[in-house]
PDB file of all heavy atoms in Angstrom:
ATOM      1  N   SER P   1     -10.160  -5.313 140.497  1.00  0.00           N
ATOM      2  CA  SER P   1      -9.977  -5.147 138.976  1.00  0.00           C
ATOM      3  C   SER P   1     -10.435  -6.521 138.404  1.00  0.00           C
ATOM      4  O   SER P   1      -9.999  -7.605 138.789  1.00  0.00           O
ATOM      5  CB  SER P   1      -8.566  -4.893 138.635  1.00  0.00           C
ATOM      6  OG  SER P   1      -8.152  -3.721 139.044  1.00  0.00           O
ATOM      7  N   ASN P   2     -11.355  -6.409 137.484  1.00  0.00           N
ATOM      8  CA  ASN P   2     -11.918  -7.649 136.830  1.00  0.00           C
ATOM      9  C   ASN P   2     -10.885  -8.197 135.889  1.00  0.00           C
ATOM     10  O   ASN P   2     -10.040  -7.570 135.241  1.00  0.00           O
ATOM     11  CB  ASN P   2     -13.282  -7.328 136.103  1.00  0.00           C
ATOM     12  CG  ASN P   2     -12.988  -6.496 134.868  1.00  0.00           C
ATOM     13  OD1 ASN P   2     -12.679  -6.893 133.836  1.00  0.00           O
ATOM     14  ND2 ASN P   2     -13.318  -5.210 135.023  1.00  0.00           N
ATOM     15  N   PRO P   3     -10.870  -9.623 135.787  1.00  0.00           N
ATOM     16  CA  PRO P   3      -9.770 -10.220 135.007  1.00  0.00           C
ATOM     17  C   PRO P   3      -9.663  -9.796 133.503  1.00  0.00           C
ATOM     18  O   PRO P   3      -8.527  -9.729 133.066  1.00  0.00           O
ATOM     19  CB  PRO P   3     -10.170 -11.744 135.071  1.00  0.00           C
ATOM     20  CG  PRO P   3     -10.991 -11.840 136.403  1.00  0.00           C
ATOM     21  CD  PRO P   3     -11.731 -10.573 136.415  1.00  0.00           C
ATOM     22  N   GLN P   4     -10.753  -9.493 132.863  1.00  0.00           N
ATOM     23  CA  GLN P   4     -10.603  -8.991 131.512  1.00  0.00           C
ATOM     24  C   GLN P   4      -9.855  -7.685 131.401  1.00  0.00           C
ATOM     25  O   GLN P   4      -8.979  -7.519 130.582  1.00  0.00           O
ATOM     26  CB  GLN P   4     -11.981  -8.896 130.854  1.00  0.00           C
ATOM     27  CG  GLN P   4     -12.031  -8.339 129.391  1.00  0.00           C
ATOM     28  CD  GLN P   4     -11.270  -9.393 128.512  1.00  0.00           C
ATOM     29  OE1 GLN P   4     -11.328 -10.634 128.774  1.00  0.00           O
ATOM     30  NE2 GLN P   4     -10.666  -8.980 127.386  1.00  0.00           N
ATOM     31  N   LYS P   5     -10.156  -6.778 132.388  1.00  0.00           N
ATOM     32  CA  LYS P   5      -9.401  -5.531 132.410  1.00  0.00           C
ATOM     33  C   LYS P   5      -7.914  -5.699 132.678  1.00  0.00           C
ATOM     34  O   LYS P   5      -7.065  -5.086 132.086  1.00  0.00           O
ATOM     35  CB  LYS P   5     -10.027  -4.537 133.401  1.00  0.00           C
ATOM     36  CG  LYS P   5      -9.319  -3.147 133.327  1.00  0.00           C
ATOM     37  CD  LYS P   5     -10.062  -2.148 134.240  1.00  0.00           C
ATOM     38  CE  LYS P   5      -9.667  -2.345 135.718  1.00  0.00           C
ATOM     39  NZ  LYS P   5     -10.121  -1.283 136.613  1.00  0.00           N
ATOM     40  N   VAL P   6      -7.665  -6.662 133.568  1.00  0.00           N
ATOM     41  CA  VAL P   6      -6.253  -7.026 133.876  1.00  0.00           C
ATOM     42  C   VAL P   6      -5.563  -7.518 132.584  1.00  0.00           C
ATOM     43  O   VAL P   6      -4.413  -7.138 132.287  1.00  0.00           O
ATOM     44  CB  VAL P   6      -6.218  -8.086 134.999  1.00  0.00           C
ATOM     45  CG1 VAL P   6      -4.831  -8.651 135.097  1.00  0.00           C
ATOM     46  CG2 VAL P   6      -6.652  -7.453 136.300  1.00  0.00           C
ATOM     47  N   PHE P   7      -6.216  -8.429 131.935  1.00  0.00           N
ATOM     48  CA  PHE P   7      -5.633  -8.957 130.681  1.00  0.00           C
ATOM     49  C   PHE P   7      -5.263  -7.945 129.747  1.00  0.00           C
ATOM     50  O   PHE P   7      -4.233  -7.778 129.212  1.00  0.00           O
ATOM     51  CB  PHE P   7      -6.584  -9.995 130.074  1.00  0.00           C
ATOM     52  CG  PHE P   7      -6.120 -10.575 128.756  1.00  0.00           C
ATOM     53  CD1 PHE P   7      -5.169 -11.630 128.724  1.00  0.00           C
ATOM     54  CD2 PHE P   7      -6.635 -10.066 127.524  1.00  0.00           C
ATOM     55  CE1 PHE P   7      -4.725 -12.060 127.480  1.00  0.00           C
ATOM     56  CE2 PHE P   7      -6.221 -10.650 126.267  1.00  0.00           C
ATOM     57  CZ  PHE P   7      -5.229 -11.627 126.365  1.00  0.00           C
ATOM     58  N   GLU P   8      -6.228  -7.018 129.411  1.00  0.00           N
ATOM     59  CA  GLU P   8      -6.076  -5.940 128.439  1.00  0.00           C
ATOM     60  C   GLU P   8      -4.999  -4.912 128.930  1.00  0.00           C
ATOM     61  O   GLU P   8      -4.228  -4.398 128.079  1.00  0.00           O
ATOM     62  CB  GLU P   8      -7.373  -5.285 128.203  1.00  0.00           C
ATOM     63  CG  GLU P   8      -8.409  -6.190 127.539  1.00  0.00           C
ATOM     64  CD  GLU P   8      -9.741  -5.465 127.393  1.00  0.00           C
ATOM     65  OE1 GLU P   8      -9.838  -4.288 127.607  1.00  0.00           O
ATOM     66  OE2 GLU P   8     -10.731  -6.114 126.927  1.00  0.00           O
ATOM     67  N   THR P   9      -4.889  -4.748 130.255  1.00  0.00           N
ATOM     68  CA  THR P   9      -3.982  -3.746 130.753  1.00  0.00           C
ATOM     69  C   THR P   9      -2.475  -4.234 130.588  1.00  0.00           C
ATOM     70  O   THR P   9      -1.641  -3.508 130.190  1.00  0.00           O
ATOM     71  CB  THR P   9      -4.248  -3.414 132.255  1.00  0.00           C
ATOM     72  OG1 THR P   9      -5.524  -2.921 132.300  1.00  0.00           O
ATOM     73  CG2 THR P   9      -3.211  -2.529 132.808  1.00  0.00           C
ATOM     74  N   ILE P  10      -2.312  -5.545 130.997  1.00  0.00           N
ATOM     75  CA  ILE P  10      -0.952  -6.184 130.847  1.00  0.00           C
ATOM     76  C   ILE P  10      -0.559  -6.235 129.367  1.00  0.00           C
ATOM     77  O   ILE P  10       0.592  -5.975 129.035  1.00  0.00           O
ATOM     78  CB  ILE P  10      -0.961  -7.518 131.529  1.00  0.00           C
ATOM     79  CG1 ILE P  10      -1.311  -7.433 133.001  1.00  0.00           C
ATOM     80  CG2 ILE P  10       0.462  -8.182 131.286  1.00  0.00           C
ATOM     81  CD1 ILE P  10      -0.276  -6.634 133.810  1.00  0.00           C
ATOM     82  N   GLN P  11      -1.487  -6.588 128.559  1.00  0.00           N
ATOM     83  CA  GLN P  11      -1.234  -6.611 127.088  1.00  0.00           C
ATOM     84  C   GLN P  11      -0.789  -5.198 126.634  1.00  0.00           C
ATOM     85  O   GLN P  11       0.181  -5.068 125.804  1.00  0.00           O
ATOM     86  CB  GLN P  11      -2.434  -7.020 126.273  1.00  0.00           C
ATOM     87  CG  GLN P  11      -2.547  -8.550 126.095  1.00  0.00           C
ATOM     88  CD  GLN P  11      -3.548  -8.886 124.981  1.00  0.00           C
ATOM     89  OE1 GLN P  11      -4.476  -8.193 124.705  1.00  0.00           O
ATOM     90  NE2 GLN P  11      -3.361 -10.019 124.311  1.00  0.00           N
ATOM     91  N   MET P  12      -1.579  -4.152 127.017  1.00  0.00           N
ATOM     92  CA  MET P  12      -1.203  -2.829 126.713  1.00  0.00           C
ATOM     93  C   MET P  12       0.189  -2.462 127.191  1.00  0.00           C
ATOM     94  O   MET P  12       1.008  -1.884 126.422  1.00  0.00           O
ATOM     95  CB  MET P  12      -2.239  -1.855 127.265  1.00  0.00           C
ATOM     96  CG  MET P  12      -1.949  -0.346 127.262  1.00  0.00           C
ATOM     97  SD  MET P  12      -0.890   0.246 128.572  1.00  0.00           S
ATOM     98  CE  MET P  12      -1.889   0.023 129.992  1.00  0.00           C
ATOM     99  N   ALA P  13       0.514  -2.774 128.374  1.00  0.00           N
ATOM    100  CA  ALA P  13       1.774  -2.438 128.948  1.00  0.00           C
ATOM    101  C   ALA P  13       2.930  -3.142 128.226  1.00  0.00           C
ATOM    102  O   ALA P  13       4.037  -2.580 127.944  1.00  0.00           O
ATOM    103  CB  ALA P  13       1.848  -2.795 130.482  1.00  0.00           C
ATOM    104  N   ARG P  14       2.710  -4.331 127.880  1.00  0.00           N
ATOM    105  CA  ARG P  14       3.701  -5.180 127.275  1.00  0.00           C
ATOM    106  C   ARG P  14       4.084  -4.544 125.862  1.00  0.00           C
ATOM    107  O   ARG P  14       5.254  -4.576 125.442  1.00  0.00           O
ATOM    108  CB  ARG P  14       3.255  -6.614 127.074  1.00  0.00           C
ATOM    109  CG  ARG P  14       4.283  -7.606 126.528  1.00  0.00           C
ATOM    110  CD  ARG P  14       5.613  -7.532 127.271  1.00  0.00           C
ATOM    111  NE  ARG P  14       5.535  -8.242 128.549  1.00  0.00           N
ATOM    112  CZ  ARG P  14       6.501  -8.094 129.495  1.00  0.00           C
ATOM    113  NH1 ARG P  14       7.496  -7.317 129.310  1.00  0.00           N
ATOM    114  NH2 ARG P  14       6.454  -8.758 130.571  1.00  0.00           N
ATOM    115  N   ARG P  15       3.065  -3.957 125.218  1.00  0.00           N
ATOM    116  CA  ARG P  15       3.317  -3.304 123.944  1.00  0.00           C
ATOM    117  C   ARG P  15       4.100  -1.971 124.152  1.00  0.00           C
ATOM    118  O   ARG P  15       4.900  -1.616 123.243  1.00  0.00           O
ATOM    119  CB  ARG P  15       1.931  -2.971 123.220  1.00  0.00           C
ATOM    120  CG  ARG P  15       1.188  -4.202 122.714  1.00  0.00           C
ATOM    121  CD  ARG P  15       0.080  -3.790 121.734  1.00  0.00           C
ATOM    122  NE  ARG P  15      -0.864  -2.858 122.364  1.00  0.00           N
ATOM    123  CZ  ARG P  15      -1.994  -3.299 122.975  1.00  0.00           C
ATOM    124  NH1 ARG P  15      -2.244  -4.603 123.024  1.00  0.00           N
ATOM    125  NH2 ARG P  15      -2.771  -2.384 123.531  1.00  0.00           N
ATOM    126  N   LEU P  16       3.884  -1.355 125.241  1.00  0.00           N
ATOM    127  CA  LEU P  16       4.470  -0.002 125.454  1.00  0.00           C
ATOM    128  C   LEU P  16       5.893  -0.038 125.954  1.00  0.00           C
ATOM    129  O   LEU P  16       6.758   0.846 125.547  1.00  0.00           O
ATOM    130  CB  LEU P  16       3.665   0.834 126.388  1.00  0.00           C
ATOM    131  CG  LEU P  16       2.350   1.496 125.874  1.00  0.00           C
ATOM    132  CD1 LEU P  16       1.701   2.355 126.974  1.00  0.00           C
ATOM    133  CD2 LEU P  16       2.602   2.374 124.655  1.00  0.00           C
ATOM    134  N   ILE P  17       6.173  -0.928 126.889  1.00  0.00           N
ATOM    135  CA  ILE P  17       7.485  -0.854 127.484  1.00  0.00           C
ATOM    136  C   ILE P  17       8.591  -1.514 126.757  1.00  0.00           C
ATOM    137  O   ILE P  17       8.312  -2.384 125.866  1.00  0.00           O
ATOM    138  CB  ILE P  17       7.403  -1.475 128.958  1.00  0.00           C
ATOM    139  CG1 ILE P  17       7.007  -3.007 128.798  1.00  0.00           C
ATOM    140  CG2 ILE P  17       6.332  -0.764 129.854  1.00  0.00           C
ATOM    141  CD1 ILE P  17       6.864  -3.732 130.121  1.00  0.00           C
ATOM    142  N   PRO P  18       9.757  -1.127 127.016  1.00  0.00           N
ATOM    143  CA  PRO P  18      10.892  -1.820 126.239  1.00  0.00           C
ATOM    144  C   PRO P  18      10.952  -3.276 126.459  1.00  0.00           C
ATOM    145  O   PRO P  18      10.620  -3.808 127.469  1.00  0.00           O
ATOM    146  CB  PRO P  18      12.149  -1.092 126.934  1.00  0.00           C
ATOM    147  CG  PRO P  18      11.621   0.225 127.443  1.00  0.00           C
ATOM    148  CD  PRO P  18      10.291  -0.062 127.840  1.00  0.00           C
ATOM    149  N   GLU P  19      11.417  -4.041 125.381  1.00  0.00           N
ATOM    150  CA  GLU P  19      11.546  -5.472 125.490  1.00  0.00           C
ATOM    151  C   GLU P  19      12.452  -5.813 126.665  1.00  0.00           C
ATOM    152  O   GLU P  19      13.545  -5.186 126.894  1.00  0.00           O
ATOM    153  CB  GLU P  19      12.072  -6.001 124.201  1.00  0.00           C
ATOM    154  CG  GLU P  19      12.118  -7.524 124.113  1.00  0.00           C
ATOM    155  CD  GLU P  19      12.519  -7.970 122.734  1.00  0.00           C
ATOM    156  OE1 GLU P  19      12.658  -7.174 121.803  1.00  0.00           O
ATOM    157  OE2 GLU P  19      12.783  -9.199 122.594  1.00  0.00           O
ATOM    158  N   GLY P  20      12.152  -6.776 127.391  1.00  0.00           N
ATOM    159  CA  GLY P  20      12.953  -7.307 128.486  1.00  0.00           C
ATOM    160  C   GLY P  20      12.627  -6.675 129.822  1.00  0.00           C
ATOM    161  O   GLY P  20      13.200  -7.027 130.875  1.00  0.00           O
ATOM    162  N   THR P  21      11.759  -5.664 129.876  1.00  0.00           N
ATOM    163  CA  THR P  21      11.318  -5.027 131.081  1.00  0.00           C
ATOM    164  C   THR P  21      10.444  -5.971 131.946  1.00  0.00           C
ATOM    165  O   THR P  21       9.564  -6.619 131.481  1.00  0.00           O
ATOM    166  CB  THR P  21      10.422  -3.734 130.797  1.00  0.00           C
ATOM    167  OG1 THR P  21      11.187  -2.840 130.002  1.00  0.00           O
ATOM    168  CG2 THR P  21      10.123  -3.085 132.103  1.00  0.00           C
ATOM    169  N   HIS P  22      10.891  -5.992 133.216  1.00  0.00           N
ATOM    170  CA  HIS P  22      10.179  -6.967 134.136  1.00  0.00           C
ATOM    171  C   HIS P  22       8.760  -6.393 134.525  1.00  0.00           C
ATOM    172  O   HIS P  22       8.753  -5.236 135.049  1.00  0.00           O
ATOM    173  CB  HIS P  22      11.026  -7.192 135.408  1.00  0.00           C
ATOM    174  CG  HIS P  22      10.508  -8.189 136.388  1.00  0.00           C
ATOM    175  ND1 HIS P  22      10.559  -9.491 136.117  1.00  0.00           N
ATOM    176  CD2 HIS P  22       9.765  -8.092 137.478  1.00  0.00           C
ATOM    177  CE1 HIS P  22       9.998 -10.241 137.106  1.00  0.00           C
ATOM    178  NE2 HIS P  22       9.444  -9.310 137.926  1.00  0.00           N
ATOM    179  N   LEU P  23       7.716  -7.016 134.320  1.00  0.00           N
ATOM    180  CA  LEU P  23       6.427  -6.578 134.469  1.00  0.00           C
ATOM    181  C   LEU P  23       5.728  -7.501 135.455  1.00  0.00           C
ATOM    182  O   LEU P  23       5.664  -8.656 135.325  1.00  0.00           O
ATOM    183  CB  LEU P  23       5.620  -6.552 133.176  1.00  0.00           C
ATOM    184  CG  LEU P  23       4.246  -6.007 133.101  1.00  0.00           C
ATOM    185  CD1 LEU P  23       4.309  -4.526 133.570  1.00  0.00           C
ATOM    186  CD2 LEU P  23       3.668  -6.176 131.699  1.00  0.00           C
ATOM    187  N   ARG P  24       5.041  -6.852 136.460  1.00  0.00           N
ATOM    188  CA  ARG P  24       4.428  -7.627 137.552  1.00  0.00           C
ATOM    189  C   ARG P  24       2.967  -7.243 137.760  1.00  0.00           C
ATOM    190  O   ARG P  24       2.555  -6.167 137.398  1.00  0.00           O
ATOM    191  CB  ARG P  24       5.135  -7.381 138.889  1.00  0.00           C
ATOM    192  CG  ARG P  24       6.594  -7.650 138.926  1.00  0.00           C
ATOM    193  CD  ARG P  24       7.184  -7.660 140.374  1.00  0.00           C
ATOM    194  NE  ARG P  24       6.599  -8.666 141.172  1.00  0.00           N
ATOM    195  CZ  ARG P  24       7.058  -9.956 141.231  1.00  0.00           C
ATOM    196  NH1 ARG P  24       8.201 -10.217 140.601  1.00  0.00           N
ATOM    197  NH2 ARG P  24       6.519 -10.856 141.981  1.00  0.00           N
ATOM    198  N   LEU P  25       2.270  -8.123 138.458  1.00  0.00           N
ATOM    199  CA  LEU P  25       0.818  -7.769 138.903  1.00  0.00           C
ATOM    200  C   LEU P  25       0.766  -8.084 140.408  1.00  0.00           C
ATOM    201  O   LEU P  25       1.317  -9.261 140.865  1.00  0.00           O
ATOM    202  CB  LEU P  25      -0.221  -8.610 138.132  1.00  0.00           C
ATOM    203  CG  LEU P  25      -1.659  -8.388 138.645  1.00  0.00           C
ATOM    204  CD1 LEU P  25      -2.093  -7.023 138.349  1.00  0.00           C
ATOM    205  CD2 LEU P  25      -2.613  -9.378 138.054  1.00  0.00           C
ATOM    206  N   HIS P  26       0.146  -7.270 141.135  1.00  0.00           N
ATOM    207  CA  HIS P  26      -0.130  -7.494 142.574  1.00  0.00           C
ATOM    208  C   HIS P  26      -1.628  -7.329 142.746  1.00  0.00           C
ATOM    209  O   HIS P  26      -2.207  -6.317 142.330  1.00  0.00           O
ATOM    210  CB  HIS P  26       0.613  -6.453 143.447  1.00  0.00           C
ATOM    211  CG  HIS P  26       0.209  -6.433 144.863  1.00  0.00           C
ATOM    212  ND1 HIS P  26       0.812  -7.148 145.835  1.00  0.00           N
ATOM    213  CD2 HIS P  26      -0.867  -5.787 145.492  1.00  0.00           C
ATOM    214  CE1 HIS P  26       0.208  -6.992 146.997  1.00  0.00           C
ATOM    215  NE2 HIS P  26      -0.806  -6.147 146.820  1.00  0.00           N
ATOM    216  N   THR P  27      -2.237  -8.339 143.464  1.00  0.00           N
ATOM    217  CA  THR P  27      -3.716  -8.161 143.731  1.00  0.00           C
ATOM    218  C   THR P  27      -3.960  -8.926 145.054  1.00  0.00           C
ATOM    219  O   THR P  27      -3.105  -9.472 145.678  1.00  0.00           O
ATOM    220  CB  THR P  27      -4.566  -8.717 142.567  1.00  0.00           C
ATOM    221  OG1 THR P  27      -5.933  -8.321 142.824  1.00  0.00           O
ATOM    222  CG2 THR P  27      -4.441 -10.248 142.413  1.00  0.00           C
ATOM    223  N   HIS P  28      -5.195  -8.881 145.443  1.00  0.00           N
ATOM    224  CA  HIS P  28      -5.699  -9.553 146.642  1.00  0.00           C
ATOM    225  C   HIS P  28      -6.913 -10.333 146.346  1.00  0.00           C
ATOM    226  O   HIS P  28      -7.600 -10.181 145.298  1.00  0.00           O
ATOM    227  CB  HIS P  28      -6.090  -8.513 147.719  1.00  0.00           C
ATOM    228  CG  HIS P  28      -4.973  -7.732 148.384  1.00  0.00           C
ATOM    229  ND1 HIS P  28      -4.693  -7.807 149.674  1.00  0.00           N
ATOM    230  CD2 HIS P  28      -4.089  -6.899 147.791  1.00  0.00           C
ATOM    231  CE1 HIS P  28      -3.624  -7.044 149.862  1.00  0.00           C
ATOM    232  NE2 HIS P  28      -3.287  -6.509 148.845  1.00  0.00           N
ATOM    233  N   GLU P  29      -7.183 -11.282 147.231  1.00  0.00           N
ATOM    234  CA  GLU P  29      -8.358 -12.278 147.055  1.00  0.00           C
ATOM    235  C   GLU P  29      -9.655 -11.614 147.596  1.00  0.00           C
ATOM    236  O   GLU P  29     -10.673 -12.280 147.550  1.00  0.00           O
ATOM    237  CB  GLU P  29      -8.039 -13.528 147.779  1.00  0.00           C
ATOM    238  CG  GLU P  29      -9.105 -14.681 147.764  1.00  0.00           C
ATOM    239  CD  GLU P  29      -9.439 -15.160 146.291  1.00  0.00           C
ATOM    240  OE1 GLU P  29      -8.736 -14.654 145.308  1.00  0.00           O
ATOM    241  OE2 GLU P  29     -10.382 -15.888 146.120  1.00  0.00           O
ATOM    242  N   THR P  30      -9.654 -10.468 148.106  1.00  0.00           N
ATOM    243  CA  THR P  30     -10.819  -9.833 148.765  1.00  0.00           C
ATOM    244  C   THR P  30     -12.135 -10.010 147.993  1.00  0.00           C
ATOM    245  O   THR P  30     -13.140 -10.253 148.685  1.00  0.00           O
ATOM    246  CB  THR P  30     -10.486  -8.340 149.018  1.00  0.00           C
ATOM    247  OG1 THR P  30      -9.124  -8.161 149.467  1.00  0.00           O
ATOM    248  CG2 THR P  30     -11.353  -7.905 150.186  1.00  0.00           C
ATOM    249  N   ALA P  31     -12.059  -9.729 146.717  1.00  0.00           N
ATOM    250  CA  ALA P  31     -13.309  -9.787 145.996  1.00  0.00           C
ATOM    251  C   ALA P  31     -13.488 -11.159 145.232  1.00  0.00           C
ATOM    252  O   ALA P  31     -14.511 -11.382 144.578  1.00  0.00           O
ATOM    253  CB  ALA P  31     -13.277  -8.719 144.887  1.00  0.00           C
ATOM    254  N   GLY P  32     -12.586 -12.047 145.495  1.00  0.00           N
ATOM    255  CA  GLY P  32     -12.798 -13.427 144.995  1.00  0.00           C
ATOM    256  C   GLY P  32     -12.298 -13.696 143.547  1.00  0.00           C
ATOM    257  O   GLY P  32     -12.614 -14.767 143.033  1.00  0.00           O
TER     258      GLY P  32
END
């Protein structure tokens, strides 16, 4: 996943989910 899509996805999720919800990202270094 490219960083810009990650940024926009987390922003989107933060708007949708209830305040205080723990939000995480998991990724790998495979593509650098």
Side-chain angles (χ1 to χ4, degrees):
S1 294
N2 66 82
Q4 181 61 29
K5 185 174 78 171
V6 168
F7 176 78
E8 293 175 9
T9 298
I10 298 300
Q11 272 197 332
M12 171 274 296
R14 187 52 77 194
R15 290 193 301 267
L16 281 185
I17 61 179
E19 186 176 351
T21 302
H22 185 81
L23 184 62
R24 304 189 66 86
L25 177 69
H26 169 95
T27 192
H28 289 243
E29 178 60 8
T30 322

